[in-house]
Amino acid sequence: MYKVIIGLEVHCQLKTNSKNFSSAKNTFSEKPNTDVSPADLGHPGTLPYPNKDAVYKALKTSLALNCNVPDEVIFDRKNYFYPDLPKGYQITQITKPMGKSGYLMVRVGDDIKRVDIHQLHLEEDTASLEHFPNFSLLDYNRSGIPLIEIVTEPCIYSADEAVAFLETLRNVFLYCGVSNADSKKGQMRCDVNISVMKDTDTEFGTKVEMKNINAFTTVRNSIEYEIKRQIEVLESGGKVVQETRRYSDEDGKTHTMREKVDAIDYKYYLDPNIPPVLLSEEYISDIKKDIPMLEFDRINKYINDYELSLYDSTILAKDRSVADYFEKVLDFGVDPKLSANWIITVILGSLNKLKVGIDDFFINPKMLSDVIKLVSNGELSQNHAKTILYKAMDTLKNPLEIIQEQGLKQIDDSNKLRPYVIDSINENNDVLMEYLEGKDYVANFFIGKVMAKTNRQANPKVTLEIIKEELEKRRGENEKK
Ligand code: ADP
Ligand code: MG
């Protein structure tokens, strides 16, 4: 048997107004070379100016991932030449990264796994290259965008674990508001390092690196392919070569890009143009206060404190705005299970249909809590409450106002309901005949009729009781004849 060892290096672009060391805009623009400053092009005489917001967001992510943060912010130069790096060096961190020795708790199906974080550092993104058959083009818009790199320990043991980690990590970025982490825009990308070893081996096998994978499905596919390939190599008596491979969606295989020679010497040194900035304890503790309760902990809370299922808790905690909305509804004193049901069935469904986010949704937590309370008091039926909520979405009127205007509360009084029942029976003689012939189930037919007559206000349970009474009465009369 073989064991699989995976370590990930995740890059994530931070959401800031300007770039990491220049005042050019940090945007995802379709038009190449429009958001560029001389510093991003490495022009001589330009100086880097660190972006305070990028530093803040990098530290925030680092603390959210339970890392140790440094006592000062300093940057290093990593020297190499490549067309996408006009300065000839990348400003990054090696001496004192923004975070060290952290971890992230991850749900993998029903299991819980701890993924250890080796380090998190802040650097600048490179320009992007687009290759054509006979030439390549450079877009410097990406050059200098703040980028954090998160390196895990080799502690991930399957494709499922890798993907679950990436999804949980992406949610940390979103919860903390540090990045949109849209992999389609290349805002979140990852390098996958993978090796296999025999159960009985004491040392890791030789690792292969797959660079710059955006989509999580590609992470999964490339890992699954590599596991098979590496085991086949070993089984046939060969050796896995340490190299960089590229996964191709076209054939579902990985292909050699370059063999890894000895480690490249980047001649790192402190960037002399960026003075160190000391981090006060107060500053760090302010950032800590700014970190919301994250998805993993909210799911635990919903299960343990509110007795929700893992399934429901996961749906609610997936999106921070939805989780916040849910918790606000609870603040108005609504039962957690009821609240969860209403949000999952009615609210999320409507958001989907209307294509709006919950923060822009007309039905706010107060309105929803008012309606749910009327249902739990028995003043409003479930169906009725739904009708009112949908009406409120259509008309942009407060649900309570609609209830007041239309007197739409549920009718439970049997004296009020009986005339509707009698009318419904009289108007549908053919159905009555079927009942008299012994088809008891047709009683349900009359509920719909009464609902229509009462604008769906009738209490269905009471209505059915009256219907049965009235039908039995007629059966008795019929038998006497
Ligand atoms: P390198 O010096 O080759 O860049 P590092 O030690 O810096 O390697 O690790 C880079 C990434 O590779 C990390 O995410 C680490 O967890 C992972 N890694 C290291 N060794 C292995 C291995 N034998 N198998 C799989 N992943 C590994
Ligand atoms: Mg490395």
Side-chain angles (χ1 to χ4, degrees):
M1 276 294 281
Y2 286 89
K3 255 187 2 200
V4 177
I5 307 290
I6 298 166
L8 300 173
E9 295 165 272
V10 185
H11 284 99
C12 175
Q13 288 183 347
L14 297 178
K15 185 164 64 177
T16 54
N17 291 327
S18 55
K19 291 189 177 174
N20 213 1
F21 300 103
S22 85
S23 58
K25 268 193 290 179
N26 170 9
T27 46
F28 179 79
S29 45
E30 297 289 340
K31 228 173 152 197
N33 296 309
T34 46
D35 298 318
V36 189
S37 86
D40 306 327
L41 294 171
H43 284 191
T46 57
L47 286 173
Y49 191 92
N51 183 331
K52 193 172 173 183
D53 192 32
V55 168
Y56 183 94
K57 284 175 172 149
L59 287 168
K60 188 173 178 184
T61 315
S62 168
L63 290 165
L65 296 175
N66 308 293
C67 290
N68 299 319
V69 293
D71 56 345
E72 61 178 352
V73 175
I74 49 176
F75 291 96
D76 301 271
R77 286 188 181 183
K78 177 181 181 178
N79 300 283
Y80 65 96
F81 171 77
Y82 204 68
D84 65 8
L85 190 71
K87 287 202 295 286
Y89 61 87
Q90 180 190 32
I91 305 178
T92 178
Q93 293 184 310
I94 188 165
T95 313
K96 288 188 178 179
M98 292 298 195
K100 276 190 160 176
S101 310
Y103 65 91
L104 180 64
M105 301 304 289
V106 177
R107 286 181 193 280
V108 190
D110 288 335
D111 297 328
I112 289 174
K113 165 163 185 102
R114 174 184 153 130
V115 174
D116 290 313
I117 309 284
H118 177 67
Q119 77 166 50
L120 180 154
H121 60 265
L122 176 61
E123 57 189 27
E124 51 179 350
D125 210 341
T126 57
S128 41
L129 269 162
E130 210 175 319
H131 300 290
F132 296 88
N134 299 315
F135 60 93
S136 297
L137 293 177
L138 274 155
D139 178 3
Y140 287 96
N141 284 345
R142 203 177 74 180
S143 175
I145 287 182
L147 197 66
I148 49 174
E149 178 174 341
I150 294 163
V151 183
T152 75
E153 296 295 348
C155 64
I156 297 166
Y157 306 128
S158 67
D160 279 347
E161 288 186 3
V163 171
F165 167 74
L166 289 171
E167 280 170 350
T168 310
L169 182 64
R170 177 166 188 271
N171 228 333
V172 172
F173 300 148
L174 295 176
Y175 258 74
C176 291
V178 298
S179 174
N180 292 333
D182 184 344
S183 51
K184 282 192 212 87
K185 293 180 177 168
Q187 290 168 343
M188 185 170 171
R189 337 189 270 269
C190 118
D191 303 341
V192 178
N193 299 275
I194 176 166
S195 65
V196 298
M197 65 195 275
K198 283 228 170 84
D199 268 354
T200 46
D201 286 350
T202 47
E203 270 178 41
F204 288 165
T206 305
K207 76 176 195 288
V208 158
E209 183 183 42
M210 297 182 282
K211 276 196 166 304
N212 266 321
I213 307 182
N214 289 18
F216 293 175
T217 46
T218 313
V219 170
R220 177 183 299 283
N221 294 340
S222 60
I223 289 175
E224 277 165 3
Y225 178 81
E226 250 329 277
I227 295 172
K228 262 197 283 169
R229 188 190 68 85
Q230 292 185 16
I231 292 176
E232 267 169 34
V233 169
L234 296 179
E235 285 289 290
S236 61
K239 275 190 178 159
V240 173
V241 183
Q242 182 168 345
E243 61 185 348
T244 303
R245 296 179 73 88
R246 184 184 59 84
Y247 178 80
S248 154
D249 277 319
E250 272 135 49
D251 60 7
K253 294 179 180 170
T254 63
H255 303 270
T256 299
M257 273 174 79
R258 54 174 181 265
E259 270 189 33
K260 195 152 186 170
V261 247
D262 292 330
I264 305 166
D265 183 355
Y266 292 109
K267 302 279 183 224
Y268 284 98
Y269 61 90
L270 278 188
D271 192 308
N273 288 331
I274 307 174
V277 178
L278 290 176
L279 294 169
S280 68
E281 271 175 36
E282 199 191 344
Y283 182 69
I284 296 298
S285 87
D286 283 348
I287 300 178
K288 278 187 190 158
K289 282 185 213 140
D290 191 25
I291 298 173
M293 188 189 274
L294 299 173
E295 180 190 22
F296 183 86
D297 295 322
R298 291 207 203 197
I299 291 177
N300 277 347
K301 181 173 157 189
Y302 298 169
I303 294 173
N304 298 330
D305 296 1
Y306 306 148
E307 294 172 6
L308 301 187
S309 65
L310 170 62
Y311 184 80
D312 285 356
S313 306
T314 307
I315 295 178
L316 291 170
K318 198 175 180 64
D319 181 337
R320 181 187 168 185
S321 327
V322 173
D324 286 347
Y325 185 102
F326 168 64
E327 291 174 20
K328 277 185 207 140
V329 174
L330 300 192
D331 286 343
F332 288 111
V334 177
D335 171 73
K337 275 189 190 156
L338 276 180
S339 168
N341 277 340
W342 280 89
I343 291 175
I344 291 170
T345 55
V346 179
I347 303 296
L348 293 185
S350 304
L351 292 176
N352 226 347
K353 245 187 258 155
L354 299 169
K355 304 225 177 323
V356 288
I358 201 159
D359 291 331
D360 303 319
F361 190 44
F362 175 71
I363 309 288
N364 61 32
K366 173 78 171 66
M367 293 180 191
L368 182 64
S369 70
D370 286 340
V371 172
I372 301 176
K373 277 184 201 163
L374 288 173
V375 177
S376 27
N377 294 343
E379 290 181 59
L380 209 60
S381 73
Q382 289 254 13
N383 278 334
H384 205 150
K386 275 186 203 164
T387 315
I388 287 165
L389 284 174
Y390 291 130
K391 185 148 199 164
M393 293 174 209
D394 274 351
T395 58
L396 304 187
K397 264 191 187 163
N398 192 315
L400 287 187
E401 215 178 294
I402 297 176
I403 293 171
Q404 231 166 27
E405 267 176 22
Q406 310 194 349
L408 277 183
K409 284 200 186 169
Q410 182 159 264
I411 309 174
D412 306 301
D413 184 345
S414 53
N415 290 332
K416 281 193 189 146
L417 289 174
R418 195 170 303 274
Y420 293 114
V421 172
I422 292 172
D423 284 352
S424 304
I425 294 176
N426 290 343
E427 284 161 16
N428 295 281
N429 203 43
D430 47 338
V431 185
L432 171 64
M433 294 315 283
E434 285 182 56
Y435 186 84
L436 297 182
E437 281 159 20
K439 295 180 186 165
D440 285 16
Y441 59 85
V442 298
N444 289 315
F445 166 85
F446 295 104
I447 299 182
K449 292 290 156 197
V450 175
M451 282 295 172
K453 284 181 190 294
T454 58
N455 219 354
R456 306 201 69 77
Q457 282 173 264
N459 177 327
K461 229 175 107 195
V462 181
T463 306
L464 185 61
E465 277 164 23
I466 304 172
I467 291 171
K468 283 186 177 157
E469 276 172 34
E470 288 296 325
L471 288 173
E472 274 310 302
K473 217 156 77 188
R474 281 166 181 68
R475 196 175 256 169
E477 285 162 8
N478 192 44
E479 278 161 8
K480 271 190 230 150
K481 277 185 206 163

